[in-house]
Amino acid sequence: MEQLSGLSARETVERVAALLGCHPTSEQVAAFLDHHDELRHLREKFFVPKIADLPTSDLSLVDGTQDSIYLVGNSLGLQPKTVKKYLDEELDKWAKMGVHGHTEGSRPWAWAENDLEALMARVVGAQPEEVALMNGLTVNLHLLMLSFYRPTAARHKIVLEDKAFPSDHYAVESQIRLRGFDPEESMLLLKHRPDEETLRTEDILDLIEKEGSSVALVMLSGVQYYTGQLFNMAAITKAAQKQGCLVGFDLAHAAGNAELKLHDWGVDFACWCSYKYLNSGCGGIAGAFVHEKHQHTVKPALTGWWGHNLKTRFDMNNELELQPGVKGFRLSNQSVFLVCPLQASLEVFNMTSMQMLRKKSMLLTGYLEYLIGHYYHEDPAHPGRPHVRIITPSDPQQRGCQLSLSFSVPIDTVFRELEKRGVACDMRHPSVLRIAPVPLYNSFSDVHRFIENLGAAVGTNCQ
């Protein structure tokens, strides 16, 4: 595969096909890419649901003993195989030790989540002291905004996407109202150009430059959940801070997906969930980041026992010895039963690097894009032929592993037919399927099988 290094996904697929003497859409290409995938062993670290176990499968259409085609890690990641072992260890410890489990064993409950923060920091490009594992995503967003959103009469606006994830939108609205301002005046919504689906980086930067003196906070997602667009967080951070704005990111769809460098970019704060690309299970413990430059200057507006220095936390003198930086934002102890799944996943991430995962992701997603373009491009010569438009940016640098596919045929029918055939993906009305080949556990053969089943779902021939 060295001779393929540096090639685009299209060039790689066509070069492999030429080498094998087959058509670029042949399953031989997928098999070749899987065989030479340096990260293929990581799939073995996860449980991949069998088709027969999916409640939506129709076993008259497909072999139920096969692995499902799981392309929805952008909604819920697969379960790491060591999760049950770790949970059983803690249940056993609780049964045998009771309260002593707080300080004993391989993950003492009183600081179990702290022991994972260095691993988490590797994934998001931060220093360990800049990361805390706590609460849920929106709780952390509120806690951070209480400290970082400091509106004045002249500078009170918050910049966010027009179609931000609802929880972000609601959080921003409520924070503005909490400070006595009107969301109609203080929410500055970024909208894409007419006849376009995604935001142009230059338009984001232009708005920041134009409105910067009235902006208190730029608060965007790292990866836009609907379109799959990966924002240029480094450029946005630099432009906003030049105008005196603080910058925060919701990394729910970026953590574990894109290569992040929160510390080097100088991002002021960020937060993320861990159950999507970080595979910690539904409602898993979330993460928060505060740059070290704010360690001694930005304090939490709300404090709790778990923000107290661990060494003196149990002195119980009611004199708060606040931990610096993001550690001081902790409020209460976290459930060890949430820590265990995240530990299992982060240990898999630690077997590789985000650079390696990103390299595979760009090829894997590019392969999906290539096959979609081959079979489902709009053909003026056949106006009635079903076609698919990819609304995610075509530039690999502006997307993660998700492609959002807009269909010319009724989306509900396509989605149901895919589910019957053992495909797990995500539908968003009015016309989009979100497809996410995750490099940790998805294969090139998964992508090829998806295309074959998509052909059956829309009634076309993909042989």
Side-chain angles (χ1 to χ4, degrees), residues 70 75-80 83 135-137 273-286 337-339 341-342:
Y70 196 87
S75 184
L76 182 70
L78 292 179
Q79 183 186 132
V83 169
N135 310 313
L137 169 58
C273 59
S274 65
Y275 51 82
K276 299 179 189 294
Y277 296 104
L278 295 174
N279 317 299
S280 71
C282 184
I285 188 171
F337 302 118
L338 296 182
V339 171
L342 183 56

Side-chain angles (χ1 to χ4, degrees), residues 99-121:
V99 71
H100 298 289
H102 279 103
T103 57
E104 302 296 330
S106 60
R107 56 186 76 81
W109 305 334
W111 56 85
E113 71 274 16
N114 302 21
D115 293 341
L116 301 183
E117 287 164 353
L119 292 176
M120 188 76 261

Side-chain angles (χ1 to χ4, degrees), residues 149 169-184 186-187:
Y149 177 50
H169 194 99
Y170 304 154
V172 167
E173 273 194 338
S174 60
Q175 289 285 336
I176 289 170
R177 289 196 183 98
L178 185 64
R179 306 308 173 88
F181 289 86
D182 182 355
E184 290 291 326
S186 297
M187 288 177 67

Side-chain angles (χ1 to χ4, degrees), residues 40-176:
R40 64 185 182 277
H41 62 288
L42 297 180
R43 181 182 175 98
E44 301 168 3
K45 306 298 180 182
F46 296 88
F47 289 111
V48 181
K50 296 296 183 183
I51 291 176
D53 291 330
L54 297 182
T56 53
S57 298
D58 183 345
L59 299 185
S60 69
L61 298 174
V62 66
D63 178 6
T65 64
Q66 286 185 303
D67 286 345
S68 64
I69 307 169
Y70 196 87
L71 297 172
V72 71
N74 57 326
S75 184
L76 182 70
L78 292 179
Q79 183 186 132
K81 289 183 177 179
T82 51
V83 169
K84 188 176 187 301
K85 174 179 180 292
Y86 292 167
L87 287 171
D88 284 346
E89 287 173 356
E90 296 312 310
L91 288 169
D92 188 57
K93 184 169 72 173
W94 182 20
K96 293 179 177 177
M97 294 186 185
V99 71
H100 298 289
H102 279 103
T103 57
E104 302 296 330
S106 60
R107 56 186 76 81
W109 305 334
W111 56 85
E113 71 274 16
N114 302 21
D115 293 341
L116 301 183
E117 287 164 353
L119 292 176
M120 188 76 261
R122 287 185 73 244
V123 174
V124 298
Q127 304 296 329
E129 62 272 15
E130 295 174 321
V131 170
L133 296 171
M134 58 188 190
N135 310 313
L137 169 58
T138 307
V139 174
N140 289 342
L141 179 57
H142 274 300
L143 292 174
L144 291 166
M145 288 182 68
L146 281 171
S147 294
F148 282 93
Y149 177 50
R150 302 190 290 262
T152 65
R155 190 186 283 272
H156 56 87
K157 294 179 181 177
I158 299 179
V159 176
L160 71 159
E161 310 113 85
D162 180 41
K163 299 297 183 182
F165 197 84
S167 61
D168 286 3
H169 194 99
Y170 304 154
V172 167
E173 273 194 338
S174 60
Q175 289 285 336
I176 289 170

Side-chain angles (χ1 to χ4, degrees), residues 118-421:
L119 292 176
M120 188 76 261
R122 287 185 73 244
V123 174
V124 298
Q127 304 296 329
E129 62 272 15
E130 295 174 321
V131 170
L133 296 171
M134 58 188 190
N135 310 313
L137 169 58
T138 307
V139 174
N140 289 342
L141 179 57
H142 274 300
L143 292 174
L144 291 166
M145 288 182 68
L146 281 171
S147 294
F148 282 93
Y149 177 50
R150 302 190 290 262
T152 65
R155 190 186 283 272
H156 56 87
K157 294 179 181 177
I158 299 179
V159 176
L160 71 159
E161 310 113 85
D162 180 41
K163 299 297 183 182
F165 197 84
S167 61
D168 286 3
H169 194 99
Y170 304 154
V172 167
E173 273 194 338
S174 60
Q175 289 285 336
I176 289 170
R177 289 196 183 98
L178 185 64
R179 306 308 173 88
F181 289 86
D182 182 355
E184 290 291 326
E185 297 178 358
S186 297
M187 288 177 67
L188 192 53
L189 301 177
L190 286 162
K191 299 182 180 182
H192 57 73
R193 297 184 185 188
D195 301 321
E196 296 186 5
E197 301 282 359
T198 56
L199 293 164
R200 295 192 185 188
T201 300
E202 60 262 35
D203 290 348
I204 299 174
L205 302 184
D206 286 348
L207 181 138
I208 290 172
E209 183 175 3
K210 178 182 176 182
E211 301 281 352
S213 62
S214 66
V215 173
L217 177 64
V218 175
M219 177 67 227
L220 302 178
S221 56
V223 171
Q224 218 287 332
Y225 82 99
Y226 184 79
T227 66
Q229 180 180 10
L230 170 61
F231 291 120
N232 188 334
M233 288 175 268
I236 291 168
T237 300
K238 183 177 180 180
Q241 291 176 344
K242 183 180 179 181
Q243 297 296 322
C245 315
L246 291 169
V247 181
F249 287 103
D250 173 353
L251 302 174
H253 289 266
N257 177 16
E259 187 178 355
L260 304 174
K261 299 180 180 179
L262 297 182
H263 176 83
D264 292 348
W265 294 337
V267 173
D268 294 298
F269 72 91
C271 49
W272 57 93
C273 59
S274 65
Y275 51 82
K276 299 179 189 294
Y277 296 104
L278 295 174
N279 317 299
S280 71
C282 184
I285 188 171
F289 164 90
V290 172
H291 198 280
E292 66 175 1
K293 63 188 174 186
H294 298 301
Q295 205 170 59
H296 300 290
T297 56
V298 177
K299 307 290 185 183
L302 300 175
T303 55
W305 190 29
W306 238 242
H308 189 109
N309 185 342
L310 176 62
K311 294 180 179 178
T312 57
R313 185 180 294 163
F314 289 88
D315 288 354
M316 317 294 280
N317 58 14
N318 286 349
E319 295 179 9
L320 180 60
E321 187 180 332
L322 190 68
Q323 295 181 78
V326 72
K327 313 294 188 185
F329 283 77
R330 293 191 181 103
L331 296 179
S332 57
N333 61 313
Q334 303 302 312
S335 169
V336 72
F337 302 118
L338 296 182
V339 171
C340 289
L342 183 56
Q343 177 185 343
S345 179
L346 290 178
E347 287 173 348
V348 180
F349 275 94
N350 201 41
M351 296 174 185
T352 181
S353 65
M354 285 309 303
Q355 292 83 359
M356 289 289 291
L357 287 167
R358 180 69 170 144
K359 179 182 176 182
K360 176 182 174 181
S361 179
M362 293 175 79
L363 180 56
L364 191 61
T365 304
Y367 180 52
L368 172 61
E369 180 184 37
Y370 182 89
L371 294 179
I372 289 288
H374 177 82
Y375 288 116
Y376 296 104
H377 62 278
E378 189 171 3
D379 186 356
H382 300 86
R385 180 178 181 269
H387 61 270
V388 174
R389 184 166 50 89
I390 300 175
I391 67 174
T392 308
S394 58
D395 177 5
Q397 300 299 330
Q398 295 185 55
R399 67 189 187 200
C401 70
Q402 172 185 317
L403 291 185
S404 296
L405 312 180
S406 179
F407 286 75
S408 65
V409 294
I411 188 69
D412 298 83
T413 301
V414 175
F415 182 65
R416 283 196 302 271
E417 290 301 318
L418 285 171
E419 285 198 314
K420 288 178 183 178
R421 290 163 172 80

